[in-house]
Amino acid sequence: MKALLAVVLAGGLLGPPALAAPGATEVRTVSVAARGETRPVGTDQGDAADDPAIWRNPRHPSASLIVATDKKAGLYVYGLDGRVRHFVAAGRVNNVDLVDLGPLGIIVVASDRNDEAQARLGVYRLNRQTGRLTALGSVPGGAGEAYGVCLVRHGDGFDAFSVLKQGAIHQVRIALEQGKATGAIIRSLHLPSQTEGCVVDPRSGTLYVGEEDRGIWALSTDPRDRAARLLALVDGSHLVADVEGLALAPVGRRGGWLVASSQGDNAYALFRLPDLTPAGRFRIRRGRFGSTEETDGIALALGHFGPRYPGGLLVVQDGENAPAAQNFKLGAWDDIRQALNRRR
């Protein structure tokens, strides 16, 4: 189901929640098997693994890297074989994203909630050869508990969107000066209830944010624009609360798909860009590497990632990986597209 609710942000706060329309029909869901997995995170008790980000190595795709969070301990860097390349003991970091700034390097940003009253954004440089992370400092992420983060390039620097647990969204402009990160909040908005997952489409300058119990919002990355649209509602059929991780598969100038973790029924919902028309659902079934349940963060990158992932790589958090601690499962985008096409 899709809602087209145009809402203007007045004073940074959106209006009262919209209700899902009755009579939603059941949506058929396909199943695919994971083709790989990471080593479990180091925290072996409770909910720990949370959110991944993908860097694609354009020269050697099989040498691409995954950065992921143990939200009770720090940041991991994995190879596509699932082995740990590096670990940074950063404490309570929740979500992570990265941006390739060319000569300035691959920059990784993690939402830091070690102080639940004052969010921070930890900034790192990723070494593409060794997989090691070098800390570049941290910048303010707004008053409140850090949750989601996503990035978009801006000139020689980039903007980070610091999404806080209570619904605040702060746009933080970050620059790198003499190897250190500096940043300032340039815009603040607010959604009515708990938020986390976000992703930016740089082609259109659209920021998508998941309000966990309500749906997916579209906002502009232009700091002068305060309008927002609720494009996809939690309807208990295509999208089941909580709405968690969001990821993009861009195709052409405007097309492609947005993928959302439909955590409430252990599935993933696809929406066709740019208007977020529902475009199918899938689950990761039990296979050699196990199924996935209660997924938090997800990441998706198109392109060749070697023989296992020839058309693109999907990485999702696995909330139940017993008897081991939580980890991240790796899926082939080609498998998902083929399974959905067979159901048509």
Side-chain angles (χ1 to χ4, degrees), residues 213-329:
D213 291 336
R214 190 177 178 194
I216 302 171
W217 292 86
L219 306 93
S220 174
T221 58
D222 185 339
R224 300 166 297 179
D225 190 342
R226 304 185 67 83
R229 293 177 295 161
L230 182 58
L231 291 186
L233 284 173
V234 167
D235 61 359
S237 178
H238 190 75
L239 188 59
V240 182
D242 288 349
V243 180
E244 291 287 342
L246 301 178
L248 280 174
V251 176
R253 295 180 61 185
R254 300 183 66 204
W257 299 268
L258 182 142
V259 185
S261 172
S262 178
Q263 190 184 66
D265 69 339
N266 303 326
Y268 309 90
L270 272 72
F271 299 88
R272 193 175 304 279
L273 295 172
D275 58 356
L276 267 62
T277 304
R281 306 175 81 249
F282 66 95
R283 290 190 177 95
I284 296 181
R285 67 175 182 267
R286 184 169 298 280
R288 176 185 173 190
F289 298 102
S291 57
T292 62
E293 292 79 29
E294 298 181 2
T295 294
D296 286 324
I298 63 176
L300 173 61
L302 301 187
H304 183 61
F305 281 83
R308 279 193 179 183
Y309 313 100
L313 173 67
L314 174 75
V315 182
V316 303
Q317 183 259 8
D318 186 6
E320 296 181 11
N321 190 45
Q326 295 178 341
N327 71 347
F328 299 87
K329 299 296 193 286

Side-chain angles (χ1 to χ4, degrees), residues 151-215:
L151 311 178
V152 65
R153 289 192 67 163
H154 177 82
D156 292 334
F158 61 98
D159 286 358
F161 294 89
S162 176
V163 179
L164 307 189
K165 184 175 182 178
Q166 76 273 26
I169 304 166
H170 299 290
Q171 185 169 354
V172 184
R173 184 143 294 170
I174 298 177
L176 301 177
E177 300 176 356
Q178 297 181 344
K180 297 296 182 181
T182 61
I185 294 172
I186 61 172
R187 178 177 63 157
S188 297
L189 308 172
H190 206 287
L191 295 176
S193 65
Q194 185 164 314
T195 49
E196 183 173 4
C198 67
V199 68
V200 175
D201 188 339
R203 301 170 303 173
S204 62
T206 302
L207 166 68
Y208 296 100
V209 178
E211 187 180 0
E212 292 190 358
D213 291 336
R214 190 177 178 194

Side-chain angles (χ1 to χ4, degrees), residues 94-119:
N94 205 63
N95 277 199
V96 66
D97 198 9
L98 59 81
V99 60
D100 193 334
L101 296 182
L104 294 177
I106 304 158
I107 306 302
V108 173
V109 176
S111 58
D112 182 336
R113 60 174 180 163
N114 284 291
D115 180 352
E116 293 187 5
Q118 294 292 330

Side-chain angles (χ1 to χ4, degrees), residues 55-66 78-83 85 128 303-310 313 330:
W55 174 70
R56 180 179 177 273
N57 188 324
R59 293 186 177 181
H60 305 289
S62 295
S64 299
L65 298 169
I66 299 164
Y78 298 102
L80 297 190
D81 58 3
R83 296 179 180 177
R85 297 290 192 269
R128 64 189 71 204
H304 183 61
F305 281 83
R308 279 193 179 183
Y309 313 100
L313 173 67
L330 281 59

